[in-house]
């Protein structure tokens, strides 16, 4: 059959496009046809692991394929993230991790093991875990205003626990101190349990930690909750005001968890994953499971997730430069 030159070109281009995208379309139609691996860059038992296993159980039921949680701790979460970033972009290797991986590390680390812009494709943010500022026996502040007054009267007299440079409590403390116009003295500990013991024992004044870690001590009256670091108020501590409510909105800090795929994963597969994650997060059982573990269930799609990450990278980069915080 005879085709005019322009029409022939269009036909050839359409044929080429069909040939190019046909494998992706076929792949998406068959997806998933084998087990999916959720890489968690932390050890078993923590919040990230709980989230991954909860999501994995529901995704397995919906997709009809095994969903396996693979714990790959180390390197401040970057060993596991690097594994996913360099995995085949076929939807069978996904990352479940938190803000320390997606926004803190890119902001504070000069040499990332993978290309931050191209290595991962963000799928959905699925949970939040605000920190709570608590005072221990060594500090008699009954509210945030009293704590700020103490710190202004005696700079560096108020000590707080961190888990090392660039950790969530460290960033939360630096942002709070800057916005409140005070100086706090950071004291490093190896983790929540050690920091909690130091706080309860009177070694330090206050701490920024997860509600899951210090909630029992708040309920027992051993620690006093002065503020929640993120908005809205936590369902676990509904009577505790947020920093934004206390006129320090720029000091707001919240941990969160999300799911990502390797960069370059075909759009049809991303659409399947996004749809299934949204359905899983609407499940009452998942919502209840998260809340039982002091996690705030939330769903942000890829666009909103990306916007949040970019905003936080800019914020934490500024905090790191101001306070000379680096992960290298």
């Amino acid at each position: 059959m005879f085709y005019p030159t322009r029409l022939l070109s269009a036909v050839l281009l359409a044929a080429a496009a069909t040939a190019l995208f046909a494998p992706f379309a076929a792949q998406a139609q068959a997806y998933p046809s084998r087990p999916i691996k959720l890489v968690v860059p932390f050890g078993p038992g923590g919040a990230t692991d709980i989230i991954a296993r909860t999501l994995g159980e529901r995704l397995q039921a919906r997709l009809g394929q095994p969903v396996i949680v693979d714990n790959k701790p180390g390197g401040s979460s970057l060993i596991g993230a690097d594994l996913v970033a360099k995995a085949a972009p076929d939807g069978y290797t996904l990352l479940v991790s938190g803000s320390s991986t997606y926004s803190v590390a890119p902001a504070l680390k000069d040499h990332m093991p993978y290309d931050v812009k191209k290595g991962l494709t963000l799928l959905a943010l699925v949970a939040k875990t605000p920190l709570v500022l608590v005072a221990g026996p060594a500090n008699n502040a009954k509210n945030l205003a009293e704590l700020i007054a103490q710190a202004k009267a005696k700079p560096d007299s108020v000590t707080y626990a961190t888990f090392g440079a660039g950790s969530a409590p460290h960033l939360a403390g630096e942002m709070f101190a800057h916005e409140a116009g005070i100086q706090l003295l950071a004291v490093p500990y190896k983790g929540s349990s050690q920091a909690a013991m130091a706080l309860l024992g009177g070694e330090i004044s206050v701490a920024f930690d997860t509600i899951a870690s210090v909630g029992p001590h708040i309920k027992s009256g051993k620690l006093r909750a002065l503020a929640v670091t993120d908005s809205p108020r936590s369902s676990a501590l509904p009577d505790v005001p947020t920093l934004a409510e206390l006129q320090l909105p720029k000091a707001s800090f919240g941990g969160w968890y999300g799911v990502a795929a390797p960069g370059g994963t075909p759009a049809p597969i991303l659409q399947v994953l996004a749809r299934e994650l949204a359905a899983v997060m609407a499940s009452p059982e998942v919502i209840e499971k998260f809340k039982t573990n002091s996690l705030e269930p939330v769903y942000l799609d890829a666009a909103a997730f990306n916007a949040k990450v970019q905003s936080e990278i800019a914020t934490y980069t500024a905090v790191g430069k101001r306070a000379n915080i680096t992960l290298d």
Side-chain angles (χ1 to χ4, degrees):
M1 181 180 293
F2 172 75
Y3 289 100
T5 302
R6 289 186 180 180
L7 181 57
L8 178 60
S9 298
V11 169
L12 291 174
L13 285 172
T18 300
L20 177 64
F21 289 105
F24 293 143
Q27 185 180 23
Q29 286 178 353
Y31 177 82
S33 58
R34 55 188 171 88
I36 296 170
K37 181 166 60 178
L38 301 182
V39 175
V40 173
F42 301 98
T48 315
D49 186 65
I50 291 170
I51 289 169
R53 294 182 188 280
T54 303
L55 295 178
E57 180 182 345
R58 294 291 168 178
L59 286 171
Q60 180 169 303
R62 290 185 60 84
L63 293 172
Q65 292 291 337
V67 178
I68 303 163
V69 174
D70 187 11
N71 297 93
K72 295 290 184 182
S76 298
S77 81
L78 295 183
I79 289 177
D82 184 46
L83 185 154
V84 176
K86 294 174 181 174
D90 53 13
Y92 290 99
T93 304
L94 307 176
L95 177 67
V96 180
S97 195
S99 49
S100 61
T101 302
Y102 297 118
S103 59
V104 175
L108 302 181
K109 191 173 180 64
D110 291 331
H111 306 288
M112 292 285 287
Y114 55 89
D115 188 327
V116 173
K117 293 182 179 179
K118 298 180 181 179
L120 296 172
T121 298
L122 304 184
L123 285 168
L125 187 151
V126 297
K128 293 171 61 178
T129 175
L131 303 184
V132 57
L133 172 57
V134 289
N139 188 285
N140 60 6
K142 296 182 180 61
N143 53 54
L144 196 67
E146 290 186 6
L147 181 69
I148 293 173
Q150 290 176 1
K152 286 185 175 180
K154 293 182 179 180
D156 285 336
S157 65
V158 177
T159 55
Y160 75 102
T162 76
F163 307 153
S167 62
H170 192 196
L171 290 173
E174 286 291 342
M175 292 170 67
F176 166 64
H178 178 74
E179 294 305 320
I182 59 176
Q183 290 179 318
L184 301 177
L185 182 61
V187 181
Y189 291 92
K190 291 182 179 180
S192 287
S193 59
Q194 192 183 78
M197 292 300 294
L199 184 61
L200 291 166
E203 292 180 21
I204 52 174
S205 306
V206 299
F208 293 85
D209 209 337
T210 62
I211 296 171
S213 296
V214 298
H217 300 305
I218 295 171
K219 291 180 180 178
S220 70
K222 294 178 180 178
L223 299 177
R224 298 182 309 283
L226 305 182
V228 171
T229 62
D230 200 9
S231 299
R233 291 193 183 195
S234 169
S235 59
L237 296 173
D239 297 327
V240 180
T242 67
L243 288 176
E245 289 179 79
L246 297 171
Q247 310 307 311
L248 293 172
K250 291 184 179 180
S252 293
F253 179 95
W256 45 261
Y257 304 88
V259 184
T265 301
I269 291 177
L270 295 177
Q271 290 167 3
V272 171
L273 289 167
R275 181 188 69 224
E276 295 304 321
L277 283 169
V280 165
M281 288 307 302
S283 164
E285 291 82 5
V286 170
I287 292 171
E288 182 59 30
K289 177 75 170 180
F290 280 17
K291 288 185 175 181
T292 299
N293 288 279
S294 299
L295 296 162
E296 299 288 342
V298 63
Y299 183 84
L300 295 184
D301 64 16
F305 189 7
N306 271 286
K308 184 173 182 61
V309 167
Q310 294 308 312
S311 175
E312 288 195 358
I313 288 176
T315 296
Y316 299 152
T317 298
V319 173
K321 289 180 179 179
R322 184 176 67 233
N324 194 28
I325 301 172
T326 179
L327 296 180
D328 289 306

